[in-house]
Every structure is written in C-alpha cells, then in structure tokens.
Amino acid sequence: LPPGARNLVTPQGLAALRDELAHMDRDEADLLDGDPQRPDRARRLAVLRERRTALEDRLASAEPVLPPDPPDGRIRVGSAVTVERDGEPVRFRITGVDEADPLEGTIAHTAPLAQAVLDLAEGDDAEARIDGRPVRLRIVRVGTDAA
C-alpha cells in the first residue's frame, strides 16, 4: 500500500484476505504439530509469523467499499470499467491493492489509470499518465460485474 493511501477493499478482497489468514493459521498449526526436530521449522515459523503480522495489519486497516444502492453510474472501487484508448476498448476492474492483478484485468485504486477515472461516469473523458506519457481516455461503460 503506498504511503498515505487508504486500504480500500472490495467485499471479495476482504474475504480473500480473511481466507489467507485462515490458511496461515492452518500452516502454523501444521508446523507446530509436526516434527520439532525439523531443521527448518524455526525459520518457517518465523517467516510465517512475520507474514501473518503484515496480513493482520492489512486486515485491521481494510476499509470495505460497497457499491452504492441504487447504482449511481460513477466509477468506484469495485467498478468494472471499459474505456476507449486510441480507438480500442480497454477493460478493467478497480480493486484494492491486495486484490489487484493487471494480468487478470484488475487494477488497484491507487494505479494511475484508476486514479484518472475514479468518480467519472459513462461518456466522460479522462487523461492518465501511463508509462510517463499522457493518454486520453473516454469512459464507455461502467458496471459492477466483471469487465
């Protein structure tokens, strides 16, 4: 999470963080119940506990973002968005930092592209800095389903 950024998460992202914590609990229990003479046991427990502390911090700071009811047509965290860039459609979903995976079409709300379009609506124009250069975008579609 970039310094000063809020830890906004979708309900799905919050559930995934909680699932990850439960998985860590099981891994820790397995290590504690396992062979105490295992040579890497202490190191594995230390790494797991460090990761767990970081995850607990992220969960403690998480701010779930629910879609407005009724929908207002504005781009928010959780929105599926289609923009036109250089005449071509670009689809993505805006998520929390932990759930973002650009290769899967999800980008963090802190990403320059997301920052450029947040709170805009269909038909609006935006400009984002991508790879250090300005890029003009037109919002084509805003939804809550998969982009």
Side-chain angles (χ1 to χ4, degrees):
L1 192 64
R6 294 170 58 200
N7 189 13
L8 304 177
V9 297
T10 66
Q12 299 88 347
L14 185 59
L17 290 173
R18 289 179 176 150
D19 287 347
E20 185 178 349
L21 183 61
H23 184 75
M24 285 182 178
D25 288 343
R26 288 189 299 276
D27 288 349
E28 183 176 19
D30 289 347
L31 281 168
L32 292 172
D33 291 342
D35 180 4
Q37 301 305 315
R38 182 177 172 169
D40 63 346
R41 181 176 185 244
R43 182 185 56 80
R44 285 180 178 269
L45 277 169
V47 168
L48 181 64
R49 288 175 175 159
E50 184 177 321
R51 286 182 43 227
R52 180 191 177 138
T53 298
L55 179 58
E56 288 171 338
D57 290 346
R58 290 196 317 270
L59 275 164
S61 67
E63 298 178 43
V65 178
L66 300 173
D69 186 23
D72 63 1
R74 295 275 177 207
I75 299 172
R76 312 260 188 241
V77 172
S79 292
V81 181
T82 303
V83 298
E84 186 176 283
R85 175 184 173 187
D86 299 327
E88 296 293 321
V90 176
R91 295 174 184 86
F92 55 90
R93 186 166 180 264
I94 300 174
T95 66
V97 171
D98 288 308
E99 36 186 332
D101 183 351
L103 295 177
E104 294 296 323
T106 57
I107 63 171
H109 65 91
T110 56
L113 178 57
Q115 288 291 300
V117 300
L118 281 169
D119 207 36
L120 298 180
E122 289 179 16
D124 288 345
D125 292 319
E127 186 173 295
R129 291 200 68 79
I130 300 174
D131 296 327
R133 62 183 181 86
V135 176
R136 297 203 40 78
L137 309 164
R138 163 133 324 182
I139 313 302
V140 177
R141 183 179 173 284
V142 177
T144 56
D145 55 333

